[in-house]
């Protein structure tokens, strides 16, 4: 007997017809892609055909000796200041979480001062340090001096720029490290103490390795930001960084725009390298937390939801589907009994 609708698709003994799914179409995506492609083509055409960019000059000075030296000095400032800042940041974060009110107050005051004043102003002070303190001496407080040094000989322009950048960055990184330390469950501390570990060992071997998952991403962003902040060291004044080197060449040949492009190229290149390093660091410390991590299976690598579903199936914690489940024509039998 046929169904009331005249269809015999559900007639007993007849196999149901296969459903042919039609993919959902997204015309808006194609429109957006065309618009973006047209705008990109117009931008590239304008860059190539505009003679004011002076591309031959860009190619001439892209690997010039002053420019390459500026890149090296910029990298030295970035790496050196970040190393010093990370060490200070960990110390400040530990002091901020200490039970000692004096160390907490010192840490809070340091962060308040260096975060509350502009980096350019701080670099100007470091440039004037030899004027403010002509001599540095070591000895008994308010008593006799044992050693003394001339400040301008000890704190050169490079060292002043390095210290200025590092001390400022340490204030920002201290809050990042403190947030990472607080992200570790308190039970980790208690379990480590129950095992007889000391506080220093707990910090190095238990807390910091787990906190790195939270610390690394913003620290990578701060490193990239530091690379560009080195362009302000002229306030010290330090005149060997990439920004000053390209500006000096551009002013000498009366073509500042091509040299700005040269500087932008090198900043973009170094930033791209740093971003790749940040990606691998995040993946290393985020093991077990990344839902997009590739999972290898019998059918090859899988990502995201497919990987999670494959793991569920491999665990055999759910019953196998019955023919009725696959057809959608009956109740699920948990025992798999027909």
């Amino acid at each position: 007997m046929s169904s009331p609708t005249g269809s015999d698709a559900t007639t007993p003994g007849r196999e149901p017809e296969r459903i042919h799914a039609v993919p959902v179409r997204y015309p808006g995506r194609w429109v957006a892609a065309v618009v973006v492609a047209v705008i990109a083509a117009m931008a590239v055409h304008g860059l190539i055909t505009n003679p004011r960019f002076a591309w031959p000059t860009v190619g001439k000075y892209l690997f010039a000796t002053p420019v390459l030296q500026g890149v090296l000095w910029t990298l030295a400032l970035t790496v050196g200041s970040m190393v010093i800042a990370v060490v200070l940041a960990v110390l400040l974060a530990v002091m901020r979480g200490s039970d000692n009110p004096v160390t907490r107050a010192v840490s809070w005051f340091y962060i308040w001062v260096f975060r509350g004043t502009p980096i350019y102003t701080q670099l100007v002070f470091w440039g004037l340090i030899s004027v403010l303190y002509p001599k540095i001496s070591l000895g008994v407080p308010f008593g006799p001096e044992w050693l003394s040094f001339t400040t301008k000989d000890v704190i050169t322009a490079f060292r002043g720029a390095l210290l200025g950048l590092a001390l400022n960055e340490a204030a920002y990184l201290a809050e990042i490290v403190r947030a990472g330390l607080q992200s570790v469950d308190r039970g980790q501390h208690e379990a480590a103490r129950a095992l007889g570990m000391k506080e220093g060992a707990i910090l190095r071997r238990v807390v910091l390795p787990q906190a790195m998952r939270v610390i690394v991403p913003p620290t990578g962003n701060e490193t990239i930001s530091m690379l560009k902040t080195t362009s302000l060291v002229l306030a010290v004044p330090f005149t060997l960084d990439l920004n000053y080197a390209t500006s000096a060449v551009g002013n000498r040949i009366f073509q500042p725009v091509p040299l700005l492009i040269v500087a932008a190229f090198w900043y973009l290149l170094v930033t791209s390298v740093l971003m790749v390093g940040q990606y691998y660091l995040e993946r290393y410390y985020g093991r077990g937390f990344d839902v997009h991590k590739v999972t290898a299976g019998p059918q090859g690598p899988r990502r995201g939801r497919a990987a999670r579903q494959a793991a569920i199936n491999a665990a055999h914690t759910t019953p196998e589907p019955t023919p009725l489940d696959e057809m959608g024509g009956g109740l699920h039998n948990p025992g798999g009994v027909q």
Side-chain angles (χ1 to χ4, degrees):
M1 182 176 179
S2 62
S3 62
T5 58
S7 173
D8 56 354
T10 59
T11 302
R14 180 169 181 175
E15 183 179 354
E17 298 180 359
R18 182 181 296 275
I19 298 176
H20 299 280
V22 179
V24 179
R25 293 175 174 82
Y26 300 95
R29 297 181 181 180
W30 290 100
V31 173
V34 171
V35 172
V36 171
V38 171
I39 294 175
M42 293 173 59
V44 172
H45 180 268
L47 288 173
I48 295 175
T49 59
N50 192 339
R52 294 178 180 84
F53 286 108
W55 292 107
T57 305
V58 173
K60 178 181 178 181
Y61 289 98
L62 191 60
F63 298 98
T65 301
V67 175
L68 295 179
Q69 290 177 347
V71 173
L72 293 177
W73 281 111
T74 297
L75 288 174
L77 284 171
T78 303
V79 174
S81 58
M82 287 303 298
V83 169
I84 297 173
V86 167
V87 175
L88 287 176
V90 173
L91 178 61
L92 289 169
V94 173
M95 292 171 61
R96 188 77 181 271
S98 173
D99 294 332
N100 189 332
V102 177
T103 57
R104 288 203 310 269
V106 171
S107 176
W108 179 88
F109 181 79
Y110 179 97
I111 295 171
W112 173 67
V113 170
F114 282 92
R115 286 204 309 174
T117 54
I119 177 61
Y120 190 85
T121 303
Q122 296 175 30
L123 291 174
V124 170
F125 270 105
W126 280 103
L128 298 174
I129 190 69
S130 61
V131 178
L132 297 173
Y133 302 98
K135 186 176 65 172
I136 300 176
S137 59
L138 299 176
V140 179
F142 309 105
E145 299 178 358
W146 298 337
L147 296 174
S148 63
F149 307 94
T150 303
T151 304
K152 65 179 180 179
D153 295 332
V154 176
I155 303 179
T156 60
F158 175 77
R159 293 171 183 170
L162 189 68
L163 289 174
L165 294 173
L167 294 178
N168 177 265
E169 185 62 31
Y172 293 92
L173 288 180
E175 294 299 284
I176 294 174
V177 174
R178 184 169 68 93
L181 297 179
Q182 290 179 347
S183 68
V184 180
D185 188 82
R186 194 66 185 172
Q188 300 288 328
H189 297 258
E190 297 173 357
R193 289 195 190 97
L195 293 175
M197 297 179 65
K198 297 183 178 180
E199 292 297 327
I202 294 174
L203 179 65
R204 293 193 314 269
R205 303 180 62 179
V206 178
V207 178
L208 272 179
Q210 298 183 65
M212 290 298 289
R213 182 177 62 89
V214 177
I215 295 173
V216 167
T219 302
N221 294 336
E222 289 295 320
T223 304
I224 294 172
S225 178
M226 176 61 70
L227 175 71
K228 294 171 287 187
T229 305
T230 56
S231 60
L232 300 177
V233 294
L234 179 62
V236 174
F238 182 74
T239 58
L240 296 176
D241 65 293
L242 175 59
N243 184 67
Y244 186 87
T246 53
S247 299
V249 175
N251 293 333
R252 188 176 70 248
I253 64 175
F254 300 103
Q255 288 184 300
V257 173
L259 273 299
L260 287 176
I261 297 175
V262 170
F265 168 81
W266 282 107
Y267 279 120
L268 283 173
L269 180 62
V270 178
T271 298
S272 301
V273 174
L274 293 176
M275 290 175 65
V276 172
Q278 177 184 351
Y279 166 77
Y280 282 105
L281 277 176
E282 289 183 14
R283 193 174 72 168
Y284 176 79
Y285 286 106
R287 291 171 298 178
F289 295 91
D290 188 2
V291 296
H292 301 291
K293 186 177 180 180
V294 178
T295 302
Q299 305 298 328
R302 301 179 179 180
R303 291 180 177 272
R305 182 179 299 177
R308 293 194 296 271
Q309 187 61 49
I312 294 172
N313 295 339
H316 301 292
T317 56
T318 56
E320 295 294 332
T322 65
L324 291 178
D325 293 328
E326 296 177 354
M327 295 171 55
L331 296 175
H332 177 61
N333 188 352
V337 180
Q338 302 298 319

